[in-house]
Amino acid sequence: MENEAVSRNFIEQIIDKDLAEGRCETVCTRFPPEPNGYLHIGHAKSILLNYGLAQEYHGKFNMRFDDTNPTKEKEEFVDSIKADIEWLGADWEDRLFFASDYFDQMYEAAVKLIKKGKAYVCDLTPEQIREYRGTLTEPGKESPYRSRSVEENLELFENMKNGVYKDGEKVLRAKINMASPNINMRDPIIYRVAHMTHHRTKDAWCIYPMYDFAHPIEDAIEGITHSICTLEFEDHRPLYDWVVRELEYPHPPKQIEFAKLYLTNVVTGKRYIKKLVEEGIVDGWDDPRLVSIAALRRRGFTPSSIKKFVELCGVSKSNSSVDYAMLEYCIREDLKLSAPRVMAILDPIKLVIDNYPEGQTEELEVDNNLENPELGKRTVPFSREVLIEREDFMEVPPKKYRRLYPGNEVRLMNAYFVTCTGFEKDEDGNVTVVHCTYDPESRGGNSPDGRKVRGTIHWVDAASAIRAEVRLYENIIDESKGVYNEDGSLNLNPNSLTILPDCYVEPSLKDARIYDSFQFVRNGFFCVDAKDSTDEKKVFNRIVSLKSSYKLPS
């Protein structure tokens, strides 16, 4: 038990103490995204942390959209976020909420603050409010409208709600302390006029609450016990606590901040991704070169690999960056036992076995994954003509080259020993066909006389192979130059996507469905693309290469 206590993260320790002291009887957490873009890998940490805590303490997990800013929010983003969270396995059961569900209660909460003398309508312009706010070293100045009577404030606030004023003409501010060392407590704006159509409430409202006011109210209404958020909200916690205290909620939620998840050399900023999408540099928010959750799903990452990654990153109070290679390590570990190993040729040339009977085809039994016998076996067809990788033949090989060259014998994986006897070239001098003979006694890739061959190459049967498009991805950022140029633009990698339109895969992949993952022998892990792959044209995305020099930090 002592070791277990030491290993618990600081949030678990806080919750343990709250339960032990009776501050709460059960645990209720939430994930509260604003529907103004697609979620990225950093959000996955928050989702899994909040859901994991609810599971650990046999509590509840709420899903809530903080839709208080209609200028940037869309139903498209709502749908994408729900799909991401469901894919990650975080189950909100019947507890799907929207901030807009509580607009009436938020309005009444603002009225309550006005009646308590804790809020006032202010006519200062946005520029004047900034000027009056002061600096980190100088206190702010009180607004000349701060002393308005309760009755006047109630009337003006109702007029704001009724559409009497233009955007920016008036705001409702909390009356706290303009000399506070925390700028967030210097009479923050809690309501603003915004004549915008909301994606859910349409034109019912022309005033909208600010996030810092809405969020604690939502948490309190839903009975959230622990409001887990990222470190940038640490300075906002006094305002969070002020709101729930002044509104006299009987069971105030507790805000706890943790460090964000930062990945090296990736793009997560919504405005940058929006620009990449609009300029056609990527084919959408789910382009596999991005690290949105939708992009990672389309690339071929699995929920379990994301969970493993988040676990390895841990929970802390200190910001730090994690190497993208750790994420790749997690998907390799996840797929190496679960993904079938199949043969695919990405840069094909034909291999003709001249002494193999013409017109004959045989079925060879092969293991789906030698490291996981539970995946069983399959059969692959083999005949006189097969396709091999162009790099597996050289007319004049360098030293230690163990693949095909004139006079050399190699093993065709799971099939036969073959010896190169010649080759054909086109008029440009490119090798188009390689000729071999085979040893009929070496079926399965073993020689009865015990001779050994040093090279093994993979292949697909030319007659039955399925043509496919393969996409090879690299980081969209040129890692040698960093993420940003001096002018703030992105350092893009011109080689981030390579499309190979004329690849061939074995016929067992004919019925592969979107998101199905495979290890292409010697080429990496691949999955069926969810956007462009069809029954008529298979498209495979490379998830990750087979090997990496990355090692987990000790």
Side-chain angles (χ1 to χ4, degrees):
M1 287 297 292
E2 187 177 334
N3 289 337
E4 182 183 345
V6 170
S7 67
R8 296 177 76 70
N9 66 53
F10 78 95
I11 297 178
E12 291 169 321
Q13 292 173 23
I14 291 171
I15 294 175
D16 289 344
K17 187 171 184 287
D18 287 342
L19 289 168
E21 295 177 353
R23 196 193 76 81
C24 59
E25 295 181 358
T26 60
V27 171
C28 187
T29 62
R30 82 291 171 268
F31 177 63
E34 183 183 355
N36 63 355
Y38 281 60
L39 302 182
H40 57 69
I41 184 66
H43 295 111
K45 179 177 180 178
S46 183
I47 294 163
L48 294 171
L49 173 59
N50 278 285
Y51 181 66
L53 289 168
Q55 293 292 101
E56 178 184 348
Y57 290 96
H58 307 289
K60 294 180 179 179
F61 168 76
N62 291 3
M63 174 64 214
R64 182 209 307 142
F65 287 96
D66 260 312
D67 55 344
T68 57
N69 184 6
T71 57
K72 297 179 179 179
E73 296 160 358
K74 294 181 184 176
E75 202 65 36
E76 171 196 354
F77 298 140
V78 170
D79 293 340
S80 74
I81 290 170
K82 286 163 66 176
D84 290 343
I85 296 170
E86 287 175 336
W87 178 72
L88 283 171
D91 184 5
W92 61 76
E93 298 173 332
D94 60 348
R95 293 180 301 281
L96 173 63
F97 304 111
F98 290 80
S100 51
D101 294 336
Y102 312 124
F103 279 172
D104 286 315
Q105 288 149 288
M106 291 175 189
Y107 180 80
E108 291 304 320
V111 169
K112 181 174 183 176
L113 291 181
I114 293 172
K115 289 179 177 178
K116 289 179 69 173
K118 297 290 186 176
Y120 62 96
V121 174
C122 182
D123 298 3
L124 292 178
T125 65
E127 293 75 19
Q128 289 172 325
I129 290 175
R130 277 193 294 273
E131 180 187 337
Y132 274 57
R133 186 173 288 139
T135 67
L136 292 172
T137 55
E138 297 176 351
K141 294 187 300 181
E142 292 187 356
S143 166
Y145 306 101
R146 200 174 194 264
S147 57
R148 277 174 166 159
S149 68
V150 168
E151 292 72 25
E152 185 181 4
N153 281 316
L154 287 172
E155 181 182 350
L156 291 171
F157 188 50
E158 186 174 358
N159 287 342
M160 285 172 62
K161 183 190 75 163
N162 292 335
V164 173
Y165 310 117
K166 299 191 292 287
D167 291 5
E169 191 174 344
K170 293 187 191 302
V171 294
L172 183 70
R173 298 176 67 177
K175 187 186 289 187
I176 308 179
N177 180 6
M178 289 304 293
S180 171
N182 185 334
I183 290 181
N184 295 297
M185 300 295 280
R186 295 179 187 174
D187 290 11
I189 297 169
I190 58 175
Y191 257 96
R192 81 281 195 195
V193 178
H195 292 272
M196 293 288 296
T197 301
H198 190 278
H199 71 103
R200 291 186 77 237
T201 59
K202 307 307 177 188
D203 296 316
W205 294 87
C206 63
I207 57 169
Y208 292 96
M210 303 298 287
Y211 177 87
D212 278 348
F213 180 64
H215 194 76
I217 293 174
E218 296 154 21
D219 284 346
I221 290 171
E222 291 177 17
I224 302 302
T225 57
H226 297 87
S227 183
I228 317 295
C229 56
T230 46
L231 276 180
E232 72 264 31
F233 291 101
E234 188 170 29
D235 289 341
H236 297 246
R237 193 193 327 143
L239 177 54
Y240 182 100
D241 293 341
W242 183 89
V243 171
V244 294
R245 183 173 63 251
E246 292 296 338
L247 292 174
E248 303 169 48
Y249 288 108
H251 303 290
K254 176 182 283 190
Q255 179 175 304
I256 306 171
E257 307 86 16
F258 70 98
K260 270 185 175 181
L261 172 56
Y262 290 101
L263 267 184
T264 56
N265 294 316
V266 299
V267 183
T268 55
K270 289 172 184 173
R271 68 185 180 95
Y272 287 105
I273 296 175
K274 186 170 182 282
K275 189 176 182 188
L276 291 174
V277 173
E278 289 173 348
E279 293 180 359
I281 295 169
V282 297
D283 71 1
W285 289 78
D286 62 349
D287 186 290
R289 289 166 289 180
L290 301 174
V291 290
S292 66
I293 296 175
L296 292 169
R297 179 165 66 246
R298 184 178 168 197
R299 175 84 171 253
F301 282 79
T302 59
S304 52
S305 68
I306 304 292
K307 290 173 187 172
K308 177 69 173 175
F309 175 66
V310 168
E311 287 171 9
L312 290 173
C313 291
V315 178
S316 101
K317 268 279 192 183
S318 303
N319 282 324
S320 59
S321 293
V322 180
D323 197 323
Y324 184 84
M326 185 195 279
L327 183 59
E328 294 182 319
Y329 165 85
C330 292
I331 188 62
R332 280 193 197 94
E333 288 295 298
D334 190 47
L335 293 180
K336 71 179 182 182
L337 293 179
S338 63
R341 297 177 182 178
V342 299
M343 294 187 287
I345 304 300
L346 308 191
D347 186 13
I349 58 171
K350 185 179 288 187
L351 178 81
V352 178
I353 306 168
D354 293 315
N355 63 333
Y356 192 90
E358 289 196 47
Q360 175 177 305
T361 299
E362 57 185 305
E363 296 289 333
L364 303 175
E365 187 176 71
V366 300
D367 291 292
N368 282 326
N369 188 325
L370 280 170
E371 292 185 64
N372 184 2
E374 291 184 8
L375 290 184
K377 298 177 182 291
R378 71 185 186 284
T379 57
V380 293
F382 181 85
S383 59
R384 189 170 185 266
E385 296 185 356
V386 298
L387 301 174
I388 64 171
E389 296 284 3
R390 183 172 297 277
E391 66 177 18
D392 285 342
F393 170 80
M394 294 191 76
E395 182 181 357
V396 182
K399 286 183 178 181
K400 297 186 179 180
Y401 184 80
R402 295 178 178 177
R403 286 164 273 174
L404 275 174
Y405 55 87
N408 193 41
E409 185 176 45
V410 301
R411 176 189 292 105
L412 291 181
M413 186 176 289
N414 301 307
Y416 294 96
F417 289 1
V418 295
T419 302
C420 180
T421 57
F423 54 91
E424 301 174 26
K425 291 183 175 181
D426 61 19
E427 57 188 20
D428 296 322
N430 300 310
V431 175
T432 55
V433 180
V434 177
H435 289 271
C436 286
T437 58
Y438 85 119
D439 177 358
E441 301 300 316
S442 62
R443 192 175 194 272
N446 300 296
S447 173
D449 61 11
R451 75 181 186 276
K452 298 187 183 298
V453 296
R454 302 183 71 184
T456 299
I457 64 174
H458 65 290
W459 52 275
V460 295
D461 180 59
S464 59
I466 299 169
R467 186 175 174 181
E469 179 179 296
V470 168
R471 297 172 180 176
L472 306 179
Y473 293 100
E474 295 179 12
N475 195 337
I476 197 167
I477 294 298
D478 185 340
E479 296 182 22
S480 66
K481 298 179 180 177
V483 178
Y484 305 108
N485 292 307
E486 288 185 7
D487 63 0
S489 61
L490 295 171
N491 267 320
L492 296 177
N493 173 10
N495 303 311
S496 61
L497 171 61
T498 301
I499 297 177
L500 305 175
D502 298 311
C503 304
Y504 289 87
V505 299
E506 62 176 74
S508 67
L509 273 64
K510 177 177 180 292
D511 297 322
R513 298 167 298 176
I514 61 171
Y515 299 123
D516 282 354
S517 299
F518 306 90
Q519 183 187 132
F520 286 3
V521 173
R522 297 170 62 208
N523 280 314
F525 292 100
F526 292 77
C527 89
V528 182
D529 185 70
K531 185 178 282 187
D532 298 328
S533 191
T534 64
D535 290 340
E536 293 73 34
K537 177 191 175 184
K538 295 291 184 190
V539 177
F540 293 91
N541 300 325
R542 184 168 68 187
I543 309 167
V544 68
S545 59
L546 288 177
K547 292 184 179 179
S548 168
S549 59
Y550 178 80
K551 293 183 180 179
L552 282 178
S554 55

